[in-house]
Amino acid sequence: VHRLAYTDVEAEARRLLLDWAYARGYTAALDDIGNMFIRRPGGDAAAAPVLSGSHMDSQPKGGKYDGIYGVLAAFEVLEALDDAGIRTKRPIEVAVWAAEEGGSRYLQGCMGSQVYVDPGKLESMQRNVDAQGVSVADAVRAFRAKLPDLPKRALNAPVSHFIEGHIEQGPILQATGNTIGVVTGIQGARYFQVDVVGDAAHAGTTPPSQRKDAVKAAAAMITALHQMMQDDSDVVRFTIGHLDVTPNAMAVVPGQVGFTIDFRHPDEAFLTRMGDLFQAVCDEHAGPCSVKVTQVRRGALIKFEGLVPDTIHDASTRLGYRTMRIMSGAGHDARYLAGVCPTGMIFVPCDKGISHNEVEAATPADLAAGARVLAEVLVALAQS
Ligand code: HGY
Ligand code: MN
Ligand code: MN
């Protein structure tokens, strides 16, 4: 799957879902950052809705389940309630958060849910530009033009609860033989952009003593950073996943290198202490180049406690599924919704924990079990 945030491919996927939604008589809306909401009415139209969903955008060459599963499981619940003739007090809405994987196009992830809970972030997010110089503002404008039938939805509209279904993207559920993961929280994460600046020069004529080779410097920094992050306890999640070189030509001594750091850990103090060293370590290995380390996002460690995870756990055990409580190593939009309403997540296993990879796989039985638990939870919360 290659369905990057705000692309025509994502718009097509949303159009397909809308066709299904309209066939059921549901209504839909789009907000200023591209979040989409599909609404199944409740008995009390004025009541804040229960939201459930995830994201439809993917990583480059991503898997078939990351994000889209949570959207389709929520939609499946709406249809099942119709078919079962179940009415709820609160409306239930399928939330499609924009640019959860936005980091792969804009170096900024979870843009939709971040702006939804904090509209003050809209302007700065709109200014993000991709490698082709297309701003988020322009991308959303083009995206909205593909979905002209959608009325505008206000940012930060009231939500009573949010539940996200997702594949675990880790090996624990499968390894322990559990079908349902009741997610207890999401580990903290810090994301950085590192810009190394040297001088572009002729590969054939420039003597080593006069070179400011940005790739040579970046390579030394990357090696030093990975050495610093060496962790025999296997807990650290340190990734340099994106690297671009300018002008990126065989016969040119590279003048600039940009690379990203995705750094996650369950201990917030460790994230702070080690992440704050990155600038100094890069400076140490910059040679004749200069280097700037900029933190582009910090996702705080959050816990899912109380009503929503307990309702998930009760529903799952009542349905007879093997269930365990589990922390999330991956980031999700639920990290941000947790700041505005009672929130929780339902994990289902994925094969060998592989994700952000085309071979990502999950079984129909496990996916259905997650949707089944989600149905119980949404009905319980929508009656509250
Ligand atoms: O990177 C993440 O944790 C999420 O899957 N986008
Ligand atoms: Mn992902
Ligand atoms: Mn995801």
Side-chain angles (χ1 to χ4, degrees):
V1 171
H2 189 76
R3 192 189 300 125
L4 299 193
Y6 303 122
T7 55
D8 290 354
V9 176
E10 189 190 358
E12 282 166 35
R14 297 222 192 165
R15 171 55 61 202
L16 178 61
L17 185 61
L18 285 168
D19 291 347
W20 297 343
Y22 294 155
R24 286 279 180 168
Y26 305 145
T27 54
L30 196 76
D31 71 16
D32 283 344
I33 192 70
N35 299 316
M36 184 169 90
F37 303 88
I38 291 171
R39 184 184 182 94
R40 179 179 191 264
D44 178 357
V50 177
L51 257 55
S52 181
S54 190
H55 57 94
M56 296 179 84
D57 65 317
S58 78
Q59 288 289 343
K61 298 187 182 304
K64 293 201 292 275
Y65 302 93
D66 177 3
I68 199 89
Y69 166 64
V71 172
L72 291 179
F75 190 78
E76 177 66 28
V77 169
L78 265 52
E79 294 190 304
L81 297 186
D82 281 353
D83 297 345
I86 293 174
R87 304 302 307 158
T88 56
K89 177 188 139 199
R90 294 181 180 281
I92 301 176
E93 294 189 351
V94 176
V96 180
W97 300 112
E100 195 278 349
E101 307 283 20
S104 58
R105 181 177 174 188
Y106 287 104
L107 294 183
Q108 185 64 252
C110 292
M111 281 196 276
S113 52
Q114 285 194 71
V115 170
Y116 188 81
V117 302
D118 179 359
K121 287 184 178 175
L122 178 62
E123 309 271 308
S124 63
M125 294 296 180
Q126 286 176 323
R127 285 194 293 271
N128 288 321
V129 288
D130 67 9
Q132 285 69 44
V134 178
S135 71
V136 167
D138 290 343
V140 173
R141 202 173 295 114
F143 198 65
R144 167 176 283 287
K146 293 264 177 189
L147 304 164
D149 44 313
L150 293 184
K152 188 175 272 200
R153 160 77 166 249
L155 292 170
N156 204 14
V159 182
S160 68
H161 307 80
F162 175 64
I163 302 88
E164 181 167 3
H166 210 288
I167 52 168
E168 178 198 340
Q169 299 178 296
I172 297 170
L173 290 177
Q174 186 183 53
T176 56
N178 285 292
T179 303
I180 300 293
V182 181
V183 185
T184 56
I186 301 177
Q187 71 176 339
R190 296 183 74 180
Y191 302 87
F192 300 84
Q193 167 69 21
V194 182
D195 291 304
V196 185
V197 178
D199 270 337
H202 195 296
T205 58
T206 314
S209 60
Q210 289 169 32
R211 289 185 178 210
K212 295 184 177 180
D213 183 331
V215 162
K216 186 178 175 193
M221 293 172 197
I222 290 170
T223 301
L225 288 166
H226 272 294
Q227 271 161 0
M228 178 173 93
M229 283 297 166
Q230 184 55 40
D231 170 23
D232 299 338
S233 68
D234 236 9
V235 173
V236 163
R237 300 288 183 269
F238 180 84
T239 311
I240 293 172
H242 176 82
L243 193 141
D244 56 40
V245 179
T246 304
N248 209 20
M250 183 184 274
V252 180
V253 176
Q256 289 182 11
V257 167
F259 64 88
T260 58
I261 295 174
D262 176 322
F263 176 37
R264 313 191 201 190
H265 196 277
D267 176 347
E268 290 286 83
F270 183 80
L271 275 175
T272 301
R273 188 169 71 252
M274 302 305 279
D276 290 357
L277 296 175
F278 291 166
Q279 179 68 59
V281 171
C282 289
D283 285 334
E284 213 177 296
H285 294 82
C289 299
S290 65
V291 58
K292 177 102 178 71
V293 179
T294 311
Q295 178 174 281
V296 293
R297 175 161 62 116
R298 176 159 192 169
L301 163 76
I302 61 112
K303 297 265 197 269
F304 299 129
E305 289 165 332
L307 173 68
V308 178
D310 291 348
T311 305
I312 295 168
H313 190 273
D314 294 350
S316 184
T317 47
R318 195 169 59 245
L319 289 166
Y321 295 123
R322 289 199 53 186
T323 308
M324 68 178 283
R325 292 187 188 258
I326 185 172
M327 267 296 279
S328 176
H332 301 283
D333 293 304
R335 183 201 301 276
Y336 296 100
L337 274 294
V340 297
C341 68
T343 297
M345 293 189 73
I346 300 169
F347 274 177
V348 293
C350 61
D351 193 34
K352 302 185 195 65
I354 298 170
S355 183
H356 285 189
N357 181 316
E358 290 173 308
V359 304
E360 187 180 87
T363 68
D366 287 345
L367 298 169
R372 185 75 188 77
V373 172
L374 182 64
E376 294 289 322
V377 172
L378 291 182
V379 168
L381 297 177
Q383 304 301 32
S384 64

